[in-house]
Amino acid sequence: MIRFTDLICSLFGILILLPVFMVLFILCFFDTGRPLFIQKRIGHKQRTFKIIKFRSMQVDTPSIASHLASVSSITKFGKLMRKSKLDELPQLWNVMLGQMSLVGPRPCLLNQKRLITERKKLGVFNARPGITGLAQLKGIDMSKPKLLAEIDADMIKNLTFMTYLKYI
């Protein structure tokens, strides 16, 4: 049921939000010259996939976790997009392709070894990564890998269709 809901919501989201996508694409183009940010992440069953986001940082920013990146590398428009979560909209494409879910643990970077280890221990990779999840709602980021993995595992264990809708 959740996968079906992901598919329908992502498809309709992409179609309905197409004008918003186009405006953001143009604004991001003028902001950084390269509006899309594509990065390898670890997903379901530890398979790597390419996550798609609107670029919110300078083009030459190293591929590290956001909490480790210099605040000065975030563009003015990028700050606005991050605050409103508009930079996440292209991930609807990842959801439609089945690489992600609307709700699940945020996909980690390949170089986040401690988080990967903690998630392996707790079986977090048995679920599709999500655009949002319990850890995001609680304000827990990837700077606390053990706690993040525990919250993710708890969310997955207790995820029902109703909690899925609540997290959205």
Side-chain angles (χ1 to χ4, degrees):
M1 182 69 171
I2 289 177
R3 176 65 193 133
F4 178 74
T5 305
D6 279 343
L7 188 60
I8 296 301
C9 288
S10 62
L11 182 61
F12 280 114
I14 290 168
L15 292 174
I16 291 167
L17 296 171
L18 192 57
V20 174
F21 276 91
M22 290 171 39
V23 168
L24 289 173
F25 187 89
I26 291 166
L27 291 172
C28 287
F29 181 80
F30 286 115
D31 189 40
T32 65
R34 291 178 44 199
L36 294 178
F37 175 72
I38 299 171
Q39 183 182 55
K40 283 188 180 179
R41 298 280 181 107
I42 299 177
H44 185 231
K45 300 200 186 294
Q46 288 188 260
R47 292 187 196 112
T48 59
F49 71 101
K50 292 179 181 176
I51 197 170
I52 306 166
K53 298 174 82 172
F54 282 119
R55 186 176 297 279
S56 61
M57 297 179 136
Q58 299 296 335
V59 174
D60 59 351
T61 303
S63 184
I64 56 175
S66 294
H67 68 277
L68 298 175
S70 168
V71 176
S72 64
S73 63
I74 302 171
T75 67
K76 287 180 185 176
F77 185 62
K79 285 180 190 174
L80 173 70
M81 281 198 311
R82 283 175 168 224
K83 189 173 186 174
S84 63
K85 304 293 186 195
L86 290 171
D87 62 322
E88 309 281 353
L89 283 178
Q91 291 171 54
L92 289 173
W93 184 256
N94 293 111
V95 173
M96 193 173 74
L97 293 175
Q99 298 165 327
M100 292 180 70
S101 176
L102 293 175
V103 174
R106 288 295 296 156
C108 54
L109 298 165
L110 281 66
N111 61 4
Q112 291 178 300
K113 302 298 183 196
R114 189 156 168 241
L115 179 57
I116 293 166
T117 300
E118 294 296 332
R119 283 183 166 176
K120 273 186 203 177
K121 282 189 229 175
L122 298 173
V124 173
F125 291 116
N126 293 330
R128 277 190 179 87
I131 294 176
T132 193
L134 184 58
Q136 287 68 42
L137 296 174
K138 289 186 171 204
I140 300 164
D141 65 21
M142 294 185 178
S143 66
K144 300 174 182 165
K146 186 171 177 25
L147 177 61
L148 179 58
E150 289 168 355
I151 296 294
D152 288 340
D154 186 52
M155 176 189 63
I156 292 164
K157 184 174 82 177
N158 297 306
L159 191 64
T160 64
F161 187 67
M162 291 311 292
T163 55
Y164 167 92
L165 293 176
K166 181 179 151 187
Y167 294 153
I168 292 175

